[in-house]
Amino acid sequence: CTLTARYGPAVYCVLSKSPTQEFGGFIVDGVLYDGIHTYSDWWAVGTYHDIEATFSDTSGGERYLFDYWSDGGAIAHEVGPIETGINLTAHYQPQYKLTLIKNPLHSEGFFRIDSEAYFDSSRVEVWLAPGSAPMVTASDIDVVSGNERYLWNNWSDGGAMSHIIEPMAGSVELIANYDHQYRFIIAK
């Protein structure tokens, strides 16, 4: 029995992310490479490969949404036949989390972020682009019953009941502080 090794030419191929971030990863030929910002390998000339970028890479109050590949391909697409080395970049759009919380926690009333209202929730989370400066609003009187209510007092950032926040440069948590009030009836 004679074994003969045959070698063919291979080229160096690189997949990377822009902006660089190590959340998520790439799927190459069905294998997930998680927690990386660059994938590299030697691919045989003439071969085809399936590549995919992870869609939403999230860590804490920061996430990146897939936007486009530098070759114009879909989020998951085939490349090849490989003739020369390739260097493809998956471009992402960063976003930051804005969290609004009522203190003390209660679900009556609303929050508003720009023109979008969120009713009957003690906590709201939305994702916004860097530099966004939305207007946030808290309800002024949240009625629980005829004898109990929450009266808006202040925001944790010192802003008015309805105000534009500083441009987003990271995740932001704002607390709407309320005074919990009870109605007492004194009768003679």
Side-chain angles (χ1 to χ4, degrees), residues 67-138:
D67 194 13
Y68 66 95
W69 277 103
S70 57
D71 68 350
I75 189 169
H77 66 285
E78 182 180 74
V79 293
I82 302 300
E83 299 299 332
T84 61
I86 61 171
N87 190 347
L88 296 177
T89 303
H91 293 270
Y92 285 79
Q93 293 296 322
Q95 292 184 322
Y96 298 120
K97 183 170 30 176
L98 171 62
T99 305
L100 305 180
I101 302 169
K102 291 184 177 185
N103 177 46
L105 293 176
H106 62 281
S107 60
E108 294 75 19
F110 66 88
F111 283 121
R112 182 172 284 120
I113 302 171
D114 289 331
S115 61
E116 186 75 26
Y118 302 87
F119 293 95
D120 303 324
S121 181
S122 62
R123 179 185 186 99
V124 171
E125 296 179 350
V126 297
W127 293 94
L128 300 169
S132 296
M135 175 164 300
V136 296
T137 305

